[in-house]
Amino acid sequence: MAHHPKALSPEDQCIQAARWIPHAFNMFCDLGEVIKVCLLLKEEGIESMDKDKDKASRRHKAILKRVDAGTWEWYQHVYHYIEDCVPHIIKLMKDKKQHHQFNALISKMGKVVRWVWSDDASHLKKVIGLYAMPYPDKKGLEPPLGSNESHSRMGFNHLELACLLCPVKHLALFLNNLTEVWKKLQDGHVTAISANWPVFLYCGDIPGEDFDPI
């Protein structure tokens, strides 16, 4: 008798789909935000076909203020991927009676996304000094990092790495007041969220120095 692999449940399919999101779209993806914003804008698009187009357009613009054009573009890519591959999560979102299940599943998917990018990043630890500096043959990280470095000296706890992880819109403030903004990044008063791209994604000897927030 032939053995057939057990079909994945709708929830397991969602978890499986979440594993690909950091690689295919965005490693800092907030799935709950992506789905909610895209669904809101879909609903607004339908309402804009009604007579009160001006009112619908104002609501549409208010929603879009939550994300910039670049973020909105990849939000749509992620949403379409989820919609095509795991429509189960969209059905849960649309059903008010299922919001508890939706939030629980989104939380599980979010943990998978964070685990994937954390696992990927862990392989870079031993060479992070080479990638973090524009001219590593001339100047390395100060203080330097070893291959077995404690997490207490990584990320926002390392001044030069904190500058690279800082949301680009706060870079000018960071460079003008290193100590104060560094402390705010560490304690969460300056937040680093998926919608605000970090400095290291931009070009330049000082990455992000030419960023225009307007």
Side-chain angles (χ1 to χ4, degrees):
M1 184 175 177
H3 173 73
H4 297 286
K6 185 179 179 181
L8 293 176
S9 68
E11 180 174 320
D12 287 338
Q13 290 175 21
C14 292
I15 299 299
Q16 186 69 16
R19 297 178 187 275
W20 293 99
I21 290 174
H23 293 160
F25 302 103
N26 190 297
M27 66 185 297
F28 301 107
C29 184
D30 182 337
L31 288 175
E33 175 76 359
V34 167
I35 293 174
K36 290 173 184 177
V37 168
C38 289
L39 278 178
L40 281 172
L41 290 176
K42 269 196 168 186
E43 293 171 2
E44 292 300 326
I46 293 171
E47 290 185 21
S48 67
M49 297 172 67
D50 297 335
K51 292 182 179 180
D52 194 0
K53 291 184 179 181
D54 290 340
K55 185 177 180 181
S57 178
R58 288 196 296 272
R59 289 199 299 269
H60 187 100
K61 290 178 180 178
I63 296 168
L64 275 178
K65 282 183 178 179
R66 293 166 60 174
V67 293
D68 58 34
T71 302
W72 167 232
E73 184 177 355
W74 72 255
Y75 269 27
Q76 292 183 89
H77 289 312
V78 175
Y79 180 82
H80 291 150
Y81 165 74
I82 294 172
E83 192 174 39
D84 291 341
C85 297
V86 282
H88 174 69
I89 193 72
I90 307 298
K91 291 178 182 177
L92 290 181
M93 174 66 185
K94 291 180 177 180
D95 187 346
K96 292 182 179 180
K97 295 180 180 179
Q98 302 291 328
H99 271 198
H100 177 73
Q101 289 89 329
F102 168 80
N103 289 329
L105 185 51
I106 279 292
S107 177
K108 289 182 180 179
M109 293 173 71
K111 287 179 180 178
V112 169
V113 169
R114 291 190 293 274
W115 178 86
V116 170
W117 66 255
S118 177
D119 183 62
D120 287 349
S122 68
H123 298 293
L124 293 173
K125 183 189 289 189
K126 61 184 180 182
V127 292
I128 196 169
L130 299 177
Y131 286 97
M133 306 306 290
Y135 304 104
D137 57 327
K138 297 180 180 178
K139 181 184 182 301
L141 282 173
E142 291 294 342
L145 297 176
S147 59
N148 296 316
E149 197 65 57
S150 166
H151 282 229
S152 65
R153 294 186 59 197
M154 302 284 282
F156 289 118
N157 295 321
H158 189 292
L159 179 58
E160 291 187 335
L161 294 181
C163 184
L164 294 173
L165 294 169
C166 175
V168 70
K169 69 177 184 178
H170 298 304
L171 177 62
L173 182 63
F174 189 105
L175 296 176
N176 288 330
N177 197 333
L178 287 175
T179 303
E180 181 180 342
V181 179
W182 185 24
K183 185 176 185 304
K184 288 182 177 180
L185 281 166
Q186 290 175 306
D187 61 24
H189 285 90
V190 172
T191 56
I193 59 176
S194 59
N196 299 328
W197 285 18
V199 165
F200 73 82
L201 295 177
Y202 294 80
C203 62
D205 287 352
I206 299 178
E209 62 182 336
D210 297 324
F211 173 75
D212 185 353
I214 299 176

